[in-house]
Amino acid sequence: MNWSDKTVGFAVSGSHCTLEEIMPQVSRFVDAGANVIPIISQSLLTTDTRFGKAEQWRKQLKERTGNDIISSIVEAEPLGPGKKLDVLLIAPCTGSTISRLANAMTDSAILMAAKAQLRNLRPVVIAISTNDGLGLNMVNIARLMATKNIYFVPFGQDAPEKKPNSLVARMDLVMETCAAALEGRQLQPVIIERFRYEPGA
């Protein structure tokens, strides 16, 4: 994939525990020559957690991409008419964002960007990170998996003993999944083993 002529929307939602894992993936796209447009949720805009301050994450995104951050619906709306993104990646994508997207609720910059991208029949790639992927959100994940132009970064259970409903994507596969999505195909396999089961353990 030649990324030098591609514009990637890199949308980051509020799975704060995953942000450290995500930032190197932003750099991978930039290093490959892509123009990366950072888009953030309200949570990332305002919430400080034990995983870092919101200002710290915003600063990293701006410095790594060299672009201003889109953080409001008003700022995200022109992405549609302007057909500015070749691919939109939502990584990490929380259960809340999954639920809203699956039910056509556009109440954040990320969801407006997704709506704009789907309007243009262009790929949206989801890297899930949710504690209820095998719970109440399973129906929403299934709905999105059956939706045209939506693709998933391969994912699996990350902590089945402590959090049996939790699903997390392989964040190191976001670029490969986006490349496949730009070719109109889902990177396989989608369901992977993030946690190896040891009998008797």
PDB file of all heavy atoms in Angstrom, residues 64-95:
ATOM      1  N   ARG A  64       2.548  14.273  16.690  1.00  0.00           N
ATOM      2  CA  ARG A  64       2.833  13.112  15.838  1.00  0.00           C
ATOM      3  C   ARG A  64       2.278  13.292  14.430  1.00  0.00           C
ATOM      4  O   ARG A  64       2.882  12.849  13.466  1.00  0.00           O
ATOM      5  CB  ARG A  64       2.277  11.834  16.460  1.00  0.00           C
ATOM      6  CG  ARG A  64       3.063  11.328  17.673  1.00  0.00           C
ATOM      7  CD  ARG A  64       2.352  10.157  18.339  1.00  0.00           C
ATOM      8  NE  ARG A  64       2.980   9.786  19.600  1.00  0.00           N
ATOM      9  CZ  ARG A  64       3.727   8.704  19.781  1.00  0.00           C
ATOM     10  NH1 ARG A  64       3.946   7.877  18.782  1.00  0.00           N
ATOM     11  NH2 ARG A  64       4.255   8.430  20.959  1.00  0.00           N
ATOM     12  N   THR A  65       1.102  13.926  14.315  1.00  0.00           N
ATOM     13  CA  THR A  65       0.448  14.047  13.002  1.00  0.00           C
ATOM     14  C   THR A  65       0.793  15.341  12.282  1.00  0.00           C
ATOM     15  O   THR A  65       0.743  15.397  11.049  1.00  0.00           O
ATOM     16  CB  THR A  65      -1.077  13.975  13.142  1.00  0.00           C
ATOM     17  OG1 THR A  65      -1.542  15.103  13.905  1.00  0.00           O
ATOM     18  CG2 THR A  65      -1.506  12.687  13.823  1.00  0.00           C
ATOM     19  N   GLY A  66       1.109  16.386  13.050  1.00  0.00           N
ATOM     20  CA  GLY A  66       1.354  17.687  12.441  1.00  0.00           C
ATOM     21  C   GLY A  66       0.081  18.383  12.003  1.00  0.00           C
ATOM     22  O   GLY A  66       0.134  19.404  11.294  1.00  0.00           O
ATOM     23  N   ASN A  67      -1.070  17.865  12.415  1.00  0.00           N
ATOM     24  CA  ASN A  67      -2.361  18.443  12.041  1.00  0.00           C
ATOM     25  C   ASN A  67      -3.149  18.847  13.274  1.00  0.00           C
ATOM     26  O   ASN A  67      -2.974  18.279  14.356  1.00  0.00           O
ATOM     27  CB  ASN A  67      -3.186  17.440  11.224  1.00  0.00           C
ATOM     28  CG  ASN A  67      -2.675  17.290   9.808  1.00  0.00           C
ATOM     29  OD1 ASN A  67      -2.367  18.271   9.134  1.00  0.00           O
ATOM     30  ND2 ASN A  67      -2.573  16.056   9.332  1.00  0.00           N
ATOM     31  N   ASP A  68      -4.034  19.829  13.087  1.00  0.00           N
ATOM     32  CA  ASP A  68      -4.927  20.220  14.167  1.00  0.00           C
ATOM     33  C   ASP A  68      -5.918  19.102  14.459  1.00  0.00           C
ATOM     34  O   ASP A  68      -6.313  18.337  13.561  1.00  0.00           O
ATOM     35  CB  ASP A  68      -5.686  21.494  13.796  1.00  0.00           C
ATOM     36  CG  ASP A  68      -4.787  22.726  13.763  1.00  0.00           C
ATOM     37  OD1 ASP A  68      -3.759  22.715  14.471  1.00  0.00           O
ATOM     38  OD2 ASP A  68      -5.110  23.664  13.021  1.00  0.00           O
ATOM     39  N   ILE A  69      -6.329  19.033  15.714  1.00  0.00           N
ATOM     40  CA  ILE A  69      -7.256  17.990  16.148  1.00  0.00           C
ATOM     41  C   ILE A  69      -8.697  18.410  15.895  1.00  0.00           C
ATOM     42  O   ILE A  69      -9.090  19.541  16.200  1.00  0.00           O
ATOM     43  CB  ILE A  69      -7.045  17.689  17.645  1.00  0.00           C
ATOM     44  CG1 ILE A  69      -5.665  17.057  17.869  1.00  0.00           C
ATOM     45  CG2 ILE A  69      -8.146  16.789  18.187  1.00  0.00           C
ATOM     46  CD1 ILE A  69      -5.288  16.913  19.328  1.00  0.00           C
ATOM     47  N   ILE A  70      -9.481  17.501  15.349  1.00  0.00           N
ATOM     48  CA  ILE A  70     -10.923  17.706  15.195  1.00  0.00           C
ATOM     49  C   ILE A  70     -11.589  17.172  16.453  1.00  0.00           C
ATOM     50  O   ILE A  70     -11.440  15.995  16.791  1.00  0.00           O
ATOM     51  CB  ILE A  70     -11.453  16.986  13.947  1.00  0.00           C
ATOM     52  CG1 ILE A  70     -10.892  17.655  12.685  1.00  0.00           C
ATOM     53  CG2 ILE A  70     -12.980  16.979  13.924  1.00  0.00           C
ATOM     54  CD1 ILE A  70     -11.248  16.931  11.399  1.00  0.00           C
ATOM     55  N   SER A  71     -12.332  18.035  17.152  1.00  0.00           N
ATOM     56  CA  SER A  71     -12.900  17.615  18.436  1.00  0.00           C
ATOM     57  C   SER A  71     -14.379  17.972  18.587  1.00  0.00           C
ATOM     58  O   SER A  71     -14.945  17.784  19.658  1.00  0.00           O
ATOM     59  CB  SER A  71     -12.112  18.234  19.596  1.00  0.00           C
ATOM     60  OG  SER A  71     -12.169  19.650  19.543  1.00  0.00           O
ATOM     61  N   SER A  72     -15.003  18.476  17.521  1.00  0.00           N
ATOM     62  CA  SER A  72     -16.413  18.841  17.603  1.00  0.00           C
ATOM     63  C   SER A  72     -17.164  18.382  16.359  1.00  0.00           C
ATOM     64  O   SER A  72     -16.547  18.139  15.300  1.00  0.00           O
ATOM     65  CB  SER A  72     -16.578  20.359  17.766  1.00  0.00           C
ATOM     66  OG  SER A  72     -16.248  21.024  16.560  1.00  0.00           O
ATOM     67  N   ILE A  73     -18.473  18.288  16.484  1.00  0.00           N
ATOM     68  CA  ILE A  73     -19.310  17.911  15.340  1.00  0.00           C
ATOM     69  C   ILE A  73     -19.162  18.927  14.216  1.00  0.00           C
ATOM     70  O   ILE A  73     -19.074  18.565  13.031  1.00  0.00           O
ATOM     71  CB  ILE A  73     -20.779  17.786  15.784  1.00  0.00           C
ATOM     72  CG1 ILE A  73     -20.956  16.575  16.713  1.00  0.00           C
ATOM     73  CG2 ILE A  73     -21.707  17.660  14.579  1.00  0.00           C
ATOM     74  CD1 ILE A  73     -22.352  16.445  17.300  1.00  0.00           C
ATOM     75  N   VAL A  74     -19.119  20.197  14.574  1.00  0.00           N
ATOM     76  CA  VAL A  74     -18.995  21.266  13.572  1.00  0.00           C
ATOM     77  C   VAL A  74     -17.696  21.116  12.782  1.00  0.00           C
ATOM     78  O   VAL A  74     -17.671  21.288  11.555  1.00  0.00           O
ATOM     79  CB  VAL A  74     -19.058  22.646  14.254  1.00  0.00           C
ATOM     80  CG1 VAL A  74     -18.737  23.760  13.259  1.00  0.00           C
ATOM     81  CG2 VAL A  74     -20.432  22.871  14.860  1.00  0.00           C
ATOM     82  N   GLU A  75     -16.611  20.777  13.471  1.00  0.00           N
ATOM     83  CA  GLU A  75     -15.317  20.615  12.793  1.00  0.00           C
ATOM     84  C   GLU A  75     -15.292  19.362  11.923  1.00  0.00           C
ATOM     85  O   GLU A  75     -14.611  19.320  10.894  1.00  0.00           O
ATOM     86  CB  GLU A  75     -14.195  20.545  13.824  1.00  0.00           C
ATOM     87  CG  GLU A  75     -13.960  21.850  14.573  1.00  0.00           C
ATOM     88  CD  GLU A  75     -13.045  21.687  15.764  1.00  0.00           C
ATOM     89  OE1 GLU A  75     -12.812  20.541  16.207  1.00  0.00           O
ATOM     90  OE2 GLU A  75     -12.553  22.715  16.276  1.00  0.00           O
ATOM     91  N   ALA A  76     -16.032  18.324  12.330  1.00  0.00           N
ATOM     92  CA  ALA A  76     -16.018  17.055  11.599  1.00  0.00           C
ATOM     93  C   ALA A  76     -16.943  17.051  10.389  1.00  0.00           C
ATOM     94  O   ALA A  76     -16.715  16.303   9.431  1.00  0.00           O
ATOM     95  CB  ALA A  76     -16.407  15.917  12.544  1.00  0.00           C
ATOM     96  N   GLU A  77     -17.975  17.881  10.402  1.00  0.00           N
ATOM     97  CA  GLU A  77     -18.990  17.844   9.338  1.00  0.00           C
ATOM     98  C   GLU A  77     -18.420  18.031   7.933  1.00  0.00           C
ATOM     99  O   GLU A  77     -18.832  17.337   6.991  1.00  0.00           O
ATOM    100  CB  GLU A  77     -20.070  18.896   9.635  1.00  0.00           C
ATOM    101  CG  GLU A  77     -21.325  18.772   8.774  1.00  0.00           C
ATOM    102  CD  GLU A  77     -21.171  19.409   7.415  1.00  0.00           C
ATOM    103  OE1 GLU A  77     -20.365  20.358   7.282  1.00  0.00           O
ATOM    104  OE2 GLU A  77     -21.854  18.952   6.462  1.00  0.00           O
ATOM    105  N   PRO A  78     -17.451  18.943   7.719  1.00  0.00           N
ATOM    106  CA  PRO A  78     -16.933  19.132   6.352  1.00  0.00           C
ATOM    107  C   PRO A  78     -16.201  17.917   5.784  1.00  0.00           C
ATOM    108  O   PRO A  78     -15.910  17.895   4.579  1.00  0.00           O
ATOM    109  CB  PRO A  78     -15.964  20.325   6.520  1.00  0.00           C
ATOM    110  CG  PRO A  78     -16.426  21.034   7.745  1.00  0.00           C
ATOM    111  CD  PRO A  78     -16.919  19.959   8.646  1.00  0.00           C
ATOM    112  N   LEU A  79     -15.859  16.942   6.612  1.00  0.00           N
ATOM    113  CA  LEU A  79     -15.174  15.747   6.098  1.00  0.00           C
ATOM    114  C   LEU A  79     -16.012  15.036   5.047  1.00  0.00           C
ATOM    115  O   LEU A  79     -15.479  14.407   4.133  1.00  0.00           O
ATOM    116  CB  LEU A  79     -14.861  14.784   7.252  1.00  0.00           C
ATOM    117  CG  LEU A  79     -13.865  15.279   8.307  1.00  0.00           C
ATOM    118  CD1 LEU A  79     -13.788  14.289   9.467  1.00  0.00           C
ATOM    119  CD2 LEU A  79     -12.483  15.493   7.694  1.00  0.00           C
ATOM    120  N   GLY A  80     -17.341  15.117   5.189  1.00  0.00           N
ATOM    121  CA  GLY A  80     -18.240  14.440   4.248  1.00  0.00           C
ATOM    122  C   GLY A  80     -18.282  15.109   2.893  1.00  0.00           C
ATOM    123  O   GLY A  80     -17.845  14.531   1.885  1.00  0.00           O
ATOM    124  N   PRO A  81     -18.771  16.352   2.814  1.00  0.00           N
ATOM    125  CA  PRO A  81     -18.843  17.029   1.516  1.00  0.00           C
ATOM    126  C   PRO A  81     -17.487  17.160   0.823  1.00  0.00           C
ATOM    127  O   PRO A  81     -17.396  17.095  -0.401  1.00  0.00           O
ATOM    128  CB  PRO A  81     -19.408  18.413   1.882  1.00  0.00           C
ATOM    129  CG  PRO A  81     -20.130  18.203   3.163  1.00  0.00           C
ATOM    130  CD  PRO A  81     -19.369  17.143   3.901  1.00  0.00           C
ATOM    131  N   GLY A  82     -16.439  17.334   1.622  1.00  0.00           N
ATOM    132  CA  GLY A  82     -15.116  17.498   1.043  1.00  0.00           C
ATOM    133  C   GLY A  82     -14.450  16.197   0.648  1.00  0.00           C
ATOM    134  O   GLY A  82     -13.399  16.200   0.009  1.00  0.00           O
ATOM    135  N   LYS A  83     -15.050  15.065   1.045  1.00  0.00           N
ATOM    136  CA  LYS A  83     -14.471  13.738   0.772  1.00  0.00           C
ATOM    137  C   LYS A  83     -12.975  13.725   1.118  1.00  0.00           C
ATOM    138  O   LYS A  83     -12.120  13.325   0.332  1.00  0.00           O
ATOM    139  CB  LYS A  83     -14.697  13.330  -0.685  1.00  0.00           C
ATOM    140  CG  LYS A  83     -16.162  13.176  -1.042  1.00  0.00           C
ATOM    141  CD  LYS A  83     -16.371  12.655  -2.447  1.00  0.00           C
ATOM    142  CE  LYS A  83     -17.857  12.436  -2.736  1.00  0.00           C
ATOM    143  NZ  LYS A  83     -18.104  11.918  -4.091  1.00  0.00           N
ATOM    144  N   LYS A  84     -12.699  14.167   2.340  1.00  0.00           N
ATOM    145  CA  LYS A  84     -11.312  14.404   2.735  1.00  0.00           C
ATOM    146  C   LYS A  84     -10.557  13.159   3.180  1.00  0.00           C
ATOM    147  O   LYS A  84      -9.333  13.148   3.178  1.00  0.00           O
ATOM    148  CB  LYS A  84     -11.284  15.449   3.851  1.00  0.00           C
ATOM    149  CG  LYS A  84     -11.776  16.823   3.393  1.00  0.00           C
ATOM    150  CD  LYS A  84     -11.641  17.867   4.481  1.00  0.00           C
ATOM    151  CE  LYS A  84     -12.066  19.240   3.980  1.00  0.00           C
ATOM    152  NZ  LYS A  84     -11.900  20.285   5.010  1.00  0.00           N
ATOM    153  N   LEU A  85     -11.270  12.116   3.616  1.00  0.00           N
ATOM    154  CA  LEU A  85     -10.607  10.926   4.164  1.00  0.00           C
ATOM    155  C   LEU A  85     -10.702   9.742   3.207  1.00  0.00           C
ATOM    156  O   LEU A  85     -11.772   9.420   2.711  1.00  0.00           O
ATOM    157  CB  LEU A  85     -11.244  10.543   5.505  1.00  0.00           C
ATOM    158  CG  LEU A  85     -11.291  11.610   6.590  1.00  0.00           C
ATOM    159  CD1 LEU A  85     -11.954  11.043   7.845  1.00  0.00           C
ATOM    160  CD2 LEU A  85      -9.905  12.152   6.904  1.00  0.00           C
ATOM    161  N   ASP A  86      -9.572   9.089   2.998  1.00  0.00           N
ATOM    162  CA  ASP A  86      -9.597   7.838   2.244  1.00  0.00           C
ATOM    163  C   ASP A  86     -10.088   6.702   3.127  1.00  0.00           C
ATOM    164  O   ASP A  86     -10.816   5.817   2.672  1.00  0.00           O
ATOM    165  CB  ASP A  86      -8.201   7.522   1.700  1.00  0.00           C
ATOM    166  CG  ASP A  86      -7.764   8.526   0.646  1.00  0.00           C
ATOM    167  OD1 ASP A  86      -8.363   8.533  -0.444  1.00  0.00           O
ATOM    168  OD2 ASP A  86      -6.847   9.318   0.935  1.00  0.00           O
ATOM    169  N   VAL A  87      -9.682   6.733   4.381  1.00  0.00           N
ATOM    170  CA  VAL A  87     -10.113   5.721   5.347  1.00  0.00           C
ATOM    171  C   VAL A  87     -10.227   6.380   6.714  1.00  0.00           C
ATOM    172  O   VAL A  87      -9.428   7.262   7.047  1.00  0.00           O
ATOM    173  CB  VAL A  87      -9.139   4.516   5.384  1.00  0.00           C
ATOM    174  CG1 VAL A  87      -7.735   4.946   5.773  1.00  0.00           C
ATOM    175  CG2 VAL A  87      -9.651   3.412   6.301  1.00  0.00           C
ATOM    176  N   LEU A  88     -11.245   5.971   7.467  1.00  0.00           N
ATOM    177  CA  LEU A  88     -11.398   6.437   8.845  1.00  0.00           C
ATOM    178  C   LEU A  88     -11.155   5.258   9.771  1.00  0.00           C
ATOM    179  O   LEU A  88     -11.819   4.225   9.656  1.00  0.00           O
ATOM    180  CB  LEU A  88     -12.800   6.999   9.084  1.00  0.00           C
ATOM    181  CG  LEU A  88     -13.128   7.331  10.555  1.00  0.00           C
ATOM    182  CD1 LEU A  88     -12.266   8.496  11.048  1.00  0.00           C
ATOM    183  CD2 LEU A  88     -14.611   7.647  10.724  1.00  0.00           C
ATOM    184  N   LEU A  89     -10.215   5.415  10.685  1.00  0.00           N
ATOM    185  CA  LEU A  89      -9.911   4.403  11.686  1.00  0.00           C
ATOM    186  C   LEU A  89     -10.364   4.912  13.052  1.00  0.00           C
ATOM    187  O   LEU A  89     -10.010   6.027  13.444  1.00  0.00           O
ATOM    188  CB  LEU A  89      -8.401   4.128  11.707  1.00  0.00           C
ATOM    189  CG  LEU A  89      -7.847   3.326  12.887  1.00  0.00           C
ATOM    190  CD1 LEU A  89      -8.362   1.890  12.856  1.00  0.00           C
ATOM    191  CD2 LEU A  89      -6.324   3.361  12.887  1.00  0.00           C
ATOM    192  N   ILE A  90     -11.167   4.128  13.755  1.00  0.00           N
ATOM    193  CA  ILE A  90     -11.557   4.456  15.130  1.00  0.00           C
ATOM    194  C   ILE A  90     -10.817   3.492  16.043  1.00  0.00           C
ATOM    195  O   ILE A  90     -11.130   2.307  16.109  1.00  0.00           O
ATOM    196  CB  ILE A  90     -13.077   4.343  15.342  1.00  0.00           C
ATOM    197  CG1 ILE A  90     -13.837   5.144  14.281  1.00  0.00           C
ATOM    198  CG2 ILE A  90     -13.446   4.840  16.747  1.00  0.00           C
ATOM    199  CD1 ILE A  90     -15.347   4.988  14.371  1.00  0.00           C
ATOM    200  N   ALA A  91      -9.786   4.017  16.722  1.00  0.00           N
ATOM    201  CA  ALA A  91      -8.918   3.158  17.528  1.00  0.00           C
ATOM    202  C   ALA A  91      -8.352   3.933  18.709  1.00  0.00           C
ATOM    203  O   ALA A  91      -7.624   4.905  18.491  1.00  0.00           O
ATOM    204  CB  ALA A  91      -7.774   2.612  16.662  1.00  0.00           C
ATOM    205  N   PRO A  92      -8.687   3.549  19.925  1.00  0.00           N
ATOM    206  CA  PRO A  92      -9.613   2.474  20.269  1.00  0.00           C
ATOM    207  C   PRO A  92     -11.065   2.926  20.082  1.00  0.00           C
ATOM    208  O   PRO A  92     -11.349   4.119  20.142  1.00  0.00           O
ATOM    209  CB  PRO A  92      -9.318   2.221  21.755  1.00  0.00           C
ATOM    210  CG  PRO A  92      -8.841   3.561  22.263  1.00  0.00           C
ATOM    211  CD  PRO A  92      -8.077   4.176  21.117  1.00  0.00           C
ATOM    212  N   CYS A  93     -11.938   1.960  19.871  1.00  0.00           N
ATOM    213  CA  CYS A  93     -13.363   2.238  19.741  1.00  0.00           C
ATOM    214  C   CYS A  93     -14.084   1.626  20.936  1.00  0.00           C
ATOM    215  O   CYS A  93     -14.112   0.403  21.090  1.00  0.00           O
ATOM    216  CB  CYS A  93     -13.905   1.660  18.435  1.00  0.00           C
ATOM    217  SG  CYS A  93     -15.623   2.092  18.101  1.00  0.00           S
ATOM    218  N   THR A  94     -14.626   2.476  21.795  1.00  0.00           N
ATOM    219  CA  THR A  94     -15.279   2.008  23.008  1.00  0.00           C
ATOM    220  C   THR A  94     -16.644   1.393  22.723  1.00  0.00           C
ATOM    221  O   THR A  94     -17.217   1.576  21.650  1.00  0.00           O
ATOM    222  CB  THR A  94     -15.488   3.172  23.991  1.00  0.00           C
ATOM    223  OG1 THR A  94     -16.347   4.146  23.366  1.00  0.00           O
ATOM    224  CG2 THR A  94     -14.178   3.818  24.380  1.00  0.00           C
ATOM    225  N   GLY A  95     -17.175   0.698  23.717  1.00  0.00           N
ATOM    226  CA  GLY A  95     -18.514   0.144  23.598  1.00  0.00           C
ATOM    227  C   GLY A  95     -19.558   1.217  23.396  1.00  0.00           C
ATOM    228  O   GLY A  95     -20.532   1.027  22.655  1.00  0.00           O
TER     229      GLY A  95
END
